[in-house]
Amino acid sequence: MQEPFSVLFSLCNLLAHKWGLRLLRSSLPANYPFLKYYLGFGYCGLISWTASIIFHTRDFNVTEKMDYFAAALSIFYGLYYTPIRLFRLLDDKDAGRKTEKESVLRIWTGIVLIMYVSHVSYLAFWRFDYTYNMLANVVVGIIQNLLWSVFSVYKWKQTRRTWAIWPGLIVAWIVLAMSLELFDFPPWHGMLDAHSLWHLGTVVPTIWWYL
Ligand SMILES: [Zn+2]
């Protein structure tokens, strides 16, 4: 096993998603419109962290690609469901606007799907460009983080409820954890490096997200 701590912390993330999926199923009614989108987030998490466990166990060309493509899947999925949730694209309270929302949802699904397929195709068939890959993930990540932060501020002003600031805090936590990647240091005992701590850092916000 090449990077035991990255494997261990990836496993913690995997278990957090497994636990979260069970929580969603037991606490939300089966006909709750957003349920399948939340479950989708959980399944993307399972795929990403499984790929991460495999990659950090053995770094081969194929395991590296699987890890990058699976991680992008989760990040692009985050971009996909965020506006669906924030702009309530599934709400049919105002029946007159239902079809309008349905077509927006369909177009948005198409756009994100094309973005993800192009991203993976470029890396797989054109050039495995590390700089582009990181930039794409950071940009897609920042867009959804900004959306959630603005939502948090807006909801807080509106409701003054504690839950309203949760998304903002989760986003801040993730950004802080991600900054570990920038402060790279020599691995402690050749094992515990900044990248593994980044994986450790996402466990708590994952659990928090499901709450
Ligand atoms: Zn990793």
Side-chain angles (χ1 to χ4, degrees):
M1 194 183 281
Q2 284 176 328
E3 298 163 287
F5 280 102
S6 285
V7 174
L8 177 69
F9 300 148
S10 297
L11 181 68
C12 294
N13 281 283
L14 181 75
L15 294 175
H17 280 288
K18 272 194 87 147
W19 167 83
L21 280 166
R22 221 173 324 131
L23 183 73
L24 285 176
R25 285 210 191 83
S26 62
S27 55
L28 291 173
N31 60 356
Y32 180 63
F34 288 106
L35 179 63
K36 64 176 180 185
Y37 291 89
Y38 293 161
L39 293 176
F41 175 80
Y43 290 129
C44 286
L46 294 186
I47 295 171
S48 300
W49 292 110
T50 305
S52 177
I53 290 171
I54 297 170
F55 169 56
H56 289 303
T57 305
R58 270 302 143 132
D59 181 349
F60 295 124
N61 189 11
V62 60
T63 58
E64 182 185 34
K65 284 200 165 75
M66 269 167 53
D67 182 44
Y68 279 52
F69 298 163
L73 177 72
S74 276
I75 298 168
F76 279 73
Y77 188 85
L79 177 72
Y80 173 61
Y81 93 90
T82 299
I84 297 178
R85 173 62 187 79
L86 299 193
F87 306 126
R88 306 203 74 94
L89 288 182
L90 304 173
D91 255 7
D92 49 5
K93 263 186 231 138
D94 40 358
R97 294 188 55 210
K98 195 173 179 243
T99 45
E100 197 182 303
K101 281 187 176 182
E102 275 171 358
S103 28
V104 171
L105 180 61
R106 225 169 292 137
I107 293 167
W108 178 237
T109 308
I111 291 175
V112 181
L113 213 62
I114 291 170
M115 277 171 66
Y116 179 69
V117 171
S118 322
H119 172 74
V120 168
S121 311
Y122 172 69
L123 291 172
F125 307 121
W126 190 255
R127 199 155 65 92
F128 200 71
D129 182 335
Y130 289 93
T131 314
Y132 157 75
N133 178 61
M134 198 180 64
L135 202 68
N137 287 325
V138 167
V139 169
V140 171
I142 284 177
I143 294 171
Q144 54 194 282
N145 286 352
L146 280 177
L147 283 170
W148 278 112
S149 305
V150 171
F151 171 79
S152 249
V153 172
Y154 174 77
K155 278 284 169 194
W156 165 251
K157 281 190 174 153
Q158 204 180 38
T159 63
R160 299 278 160 186
R161 295 285 180 84
T162 330
W163 63 262
I165 53 172
W166 282 20
L169 292 177
I170 292 174
V171 163
W173 185 314
I174 292 172
V175 171
L176 274 178
M178 206 170 75
S179 60
L180 277 170
E181 290 267 83
L182 303 176
F183 306 115
D184 209 1
F185 55 86
W188 178 73
H189 285 278
M191 286 191 291
L192 192 78
D193 65 339
H195 185 80
S196 69
L197 290 179
W198 149 234
H199 287 338
L200 176 66
T202 53
V203 179
V204 170
T206 301
I207 295 171
W208 200 354
W209 183 89
Y210 284 102
L211 294 175

